[in-house]
Amino acid sequence: MITLKQAAEALNAQVACGEKLMGREVRMACGSDMMSDVLAYAKNKAVLLTGLLNIQVVRTADVSDIAAIVFVRDKHPETEVLLAAQNKDIPVLYTKCTMFEACGRLYALGLRGCTAKDAENR
Amino acid sequence: MEKRYTVEVDDFERAGAASISLKELLQKLGLAPETVRRIAIGTYEGEINCLIHGGGGVVIADITPHVITVRIEDHGPGIPDVEKAMQEGWSTASEEIRAKGFGAGMGLPNMKKVSDTFRIETEVGKGTTVIMGFSCV
């Protein structure tokens, strides 16, 4: 288990919203641009890493009880998307890392994937 | 208590609004967080399906102290082969929808996975209704 603050440091990330929630603990991560897969596999207390920028990223995170959203490859969503996340107390981070690099850094910190198979391999 | 939400045709920006309203209501009613999460995910998947395949429709949640039933009804083309539609990864969604992060063929199987009871009523040319039941105890 790590805090969002530790995750943000590892990703050299900018906190776009949710600065006060950086103490939130996370144990899993899900990296995908397919929200369908996130809905099917992500567990609560997971960090969602994505390059998709639309409002459905926040809605998916909301219904799935995702702990935080990380936008990779230095992508920034529209203000409306950021405000929706802020309104739902979902912290948003921006990192310049690619998806692969970002996932690797968080894995090295101890985060794991969300599926039962990932859990078996722990 | 019954709650009805309309899903507008091709209103992708608003997709998920019904699920989030329902989630907020269930949270206020004090349901267990994991139950709320299952209902929100199932309803959201249904709402997205209703929008991208059904041409819009309605979400009806019937809330009782023990069981919550969510019906998602559309008057779209119907599903010719339900068995195929229930296979993970099988989808008829357009490239445009995939580019928006949906249409991976996980919707219906995931709705079945998160619910306690699951039923599809569909007729080609008339529409589809998915009914999910969630036990609150």
Side-chain angles (χ1 to χ4, degrees), chain A residues 3-122:
Chain A
T3 63
L4 287 179
K5 186 169 186 285
Q6 287 173 286
E9 280 167 7
L11 297 171
N12 207 4
Q14 180 190 341
V15 182
C17 74
E19 185 76 57
K20 286 180 185 162
L21 300 169
M22 286 297 109
R24 189 176 276 180
E25 289 179 325
V26 289
R27 60 173 77 222
M28 286 176 275
C30 177
S32 183
D33 289 351
M34 286 306 281
M35 295 302 108
S36 303
D37 286 343
V38 177
L39 287 163
Y41 297 118
K43 301 280 189 291
N44 53 2
K45 289 200 173 179
V47 177
L48 167 61
L49 297 103
T50 189
L52 192 74
L53 295 174
N54 64 36
I55 187 72
Q56 300 304 338
V57 174
V58 177
R59 302 238 168 94
T60 299
D62 186 3
V63 300
S64 307
D65 292 337
I66 291 286
I69 301 167
V70 179
F71 289 104
V72 298
R73 303 192 292 274
D74 203 21
K75 286 183 157 190
H76 299 187
E78 301 280 340
T79 310
E80 175 209 356
V81 174
L82 204 55
L83 289 175
Q86 194 168 30
N87 187 34
K88 289 289 177 181
D89 281 341
I90 303 169
V92 171
L93 306 178
Y94 297 153
T95 179
K96 290 182 178 169
C97 297
T98 59
M99 177 72 94
F100 181 83
E101 178 69 24
C103 290
R105 289 188 189 190
L106 295 184
Y107 191 94
L109 270 186
L111 292 192
R112 293 295 178 265
C114 290
T115 69
K117 279 184 182 165
D118 289 331
E120 277 167 25
N121 291 328
R122 260 167 228 167

Side-chain angles (χ1 to χ4, degrees), chain B residues 22 26-27 29-39 62-70 114-117 132-137:
Chain B
L22 179 61
L26 298 175
Q27 281 173 328
L29 292 173
L31 259 79
E34 189 48 36
T35 309
V36 175
R37 183 175 185 271
R38 290 193 296 126
I39 296 170
D62 184 28
I63 303 163
T64 73
H66 301 292
V67 176
I68 298 191
T69 309
V70 179
V114 296
S115 56
D116 296 311
T117 60
M132 293 176 289
F134 299 89
S135 166
C136 303
V137 287

